[in-house]
Amino acid sequence: MSDYLLLPLAALPFPQIDPVIFQIGPFAVHWYGLGYIAGILFAWWYAKRLVATQRLWAHDTPPMKPTDLDDFVVWAAIGVVLGGRLGYVLFYDLPRYLANPLDIFAVWQGGMSFHGGMLGTILAMVLFARSRGINAWSMIDTIAATAPVGLGLVRLANFINSELWGRPTDMPWGIVFPDGGPLPRHPSQLYEAALEGLVLFLVLRLLTHSRLRLKTPRFVGGAFIAGYGLSRIFVEFFREPDAHIGYLAGGWLTMGMVLSTPMVLVGLWAMMTARAPAIVLRS
């Protein structure tokens, strides 16, 4: 009993950062929303840099123009937000939203799914690429190379919001979260920010600029999909599952693992089947 009472004293203190950056009347700017906006703006800037660097692409010919990405920003934002929200509704809390359908639109209450956001963004990329005559896989490769930064920022915002925390731990870096009970917990949001954000970005940067894998459409996109899936599955062993879902089997299997496993398989398939496009000879 005495050891249980001392556990929180051995934990790291939770940094008291206000989730609201500033507020003017009813208008409030949250770190969570800023993470999405900053991630989208970075992706826009970095994607244009990739497209402007001819040596990265097959036959030194980028598959699209930087101005195409200017137009795609709106498509991407819609795909991320709608896909993320609908994904959360369908994958994580469908009974609640069936009972209260108007809550689907209450995005300020939280509830976004990465897997849904990814599917929404992929759909937006495919539709946009087809409308512009762009190779859809090259479009996916381009956006995939930019995505980890936004993922990392949103995970940091999850940490600031004291949400999606980890399972109880006796490790010295355990944190007592304000909404997580008296026990120290894994800061799983920071694990995800490191793996899905920093590490995955550096791996993709190596593939795009050192290994020149943008020359083989599908490879970079596949690496991102598989890399995220593996990172998410690993962190799920430390992350507390959603209370209304819990473990799906065996006291360890979570919904995040189930949704991420097909990502690993699809990503590996894309990497293994990636081929450089043939040179088109014109008479």
Side-chain angles (χ1 to χ4, degrees):
M1 182 64 178
S2 60
D3 292 340
Y4 172 82
L5 293 175
L6 289 174
L7 272 175
L9 299 179
L12 296 176
F14 180 79
Q16 297 298 323
I17 303 175
D18 194 333
V20 178
I21 304 174
F22 66 87
Q23 184 168 355
I24 302 176
F27 177 76
V29 176
H30 296 253
W31 288 107
Y32 190 74
L34 182 62
Y36 270 95
I37 294 172
I40 291 173
L41 291 178
F42 172 83
W44 174 40
W45 170 81
Y46 188 58
K48 293 181 68 172
R49 291 288 299 269
L50 293 176
V51 170
T53 309
Q54 295 183 353
R55 72 176 186 86
L56 301 179
W57 302 94
H59 319 307
D60 296 330
T61 304
M64 68 198 82
K65 300 176 182 178
T67 52
D68 290 322
L69 294 166
D70 293 339
D71 297 333
F72 179 68
V73 169
V74 176
W75 292 59
I78 293 173
V80 167
V81 174
L82 289 184
R85 185 58 172 173
L86 292 177
Y88 182 82
V89 171
L90 295 175
F91 301 148
Y92 289 95
D93 211 355
L94 182 58
R96 172 197 163 188
Y97 291 105
L98 288 177
N100 303 281
L102 291 180
D103 285 353
I104 295 175
F105 304 99
V107 293
W108 57 87
Q109 296 178 359
M112 296 286 283
S113 163
F114 165 79
H115 299 90
M118 184 193 70
L119 292 175
T121 306
I122 289 176
L123 178 60
M125 286 188 284
V126 171
L127 293 176
F128 182 84
R130 291 184 62 181
S131 72
R132 297 294 178 95
I134 299 170
N135 182 301
W137 277 111
S138 291
M139 186 81 193
I140 293 173
D141 290 341
T142 304
I143 303 305
T146 73
V149 170
L151 293 177
L153 292 175
V154 171
R155 292 308 182 195
L156 291 176
N158 291 146
F159 179 78
I160 292 173
N161 289 348
S162 181
E163 61 188 3
L164 306 182
W165 19 258
R167 307 181 192 185
T169 181
D170 58 0
M171 302 304 291
W173 56 82
I175 293 177
V176 178
F177 289 91
D179 304 317
L183 293 177
R185 294 180 175 274
H186 284 285
S188 56
Q189 315 96 322
L190 301 184
Y191 301 170
E192 291 188 84
L195 289 176
E196 302 166 9
L198 178 61
V199 173
L200 188 52
F201 176 78
L202 293 177
V203 169
L204 296 179
R205 174 79 181 187
L206 175 67
L207 292 176
T208 57
H209 285 71
S210 296
R211 307 300 296 175
L212 300 179
R213 285 297 189 171
L214 287 172
K215 293 178 180 289
T216 52
R218 272 208 302 269
F219 195 94
V220 173
F224 168 75
I225 295 170
Y228 176 88
L230 290 172
S231 299
R232 179 65 180 269
I233 290 171
F234 174 76
V235 174
E236 285 289 315
F237 284 102
F238 304 94
R239 177 174 163 175
E240 186 80 11
D242 293 85
H244 60 283
I245 297 178
Y247 297 106
L248 302 182
W252 60 271
L253 183 66
T254 67
M255 179 63 77
M257 293 178 181
V258 171
L259 295 175
S260 297
T261 299
M263 293 182 62
V264 176
L265 299 177
V266 170
L268 292 176
W269 166 83
M271 295 170 69
M272 291 187 294
T273 58
R275 298 289 185 273
I279 297 177
V280 178
L281 298 178
R282 298 179 179 179
S283 58

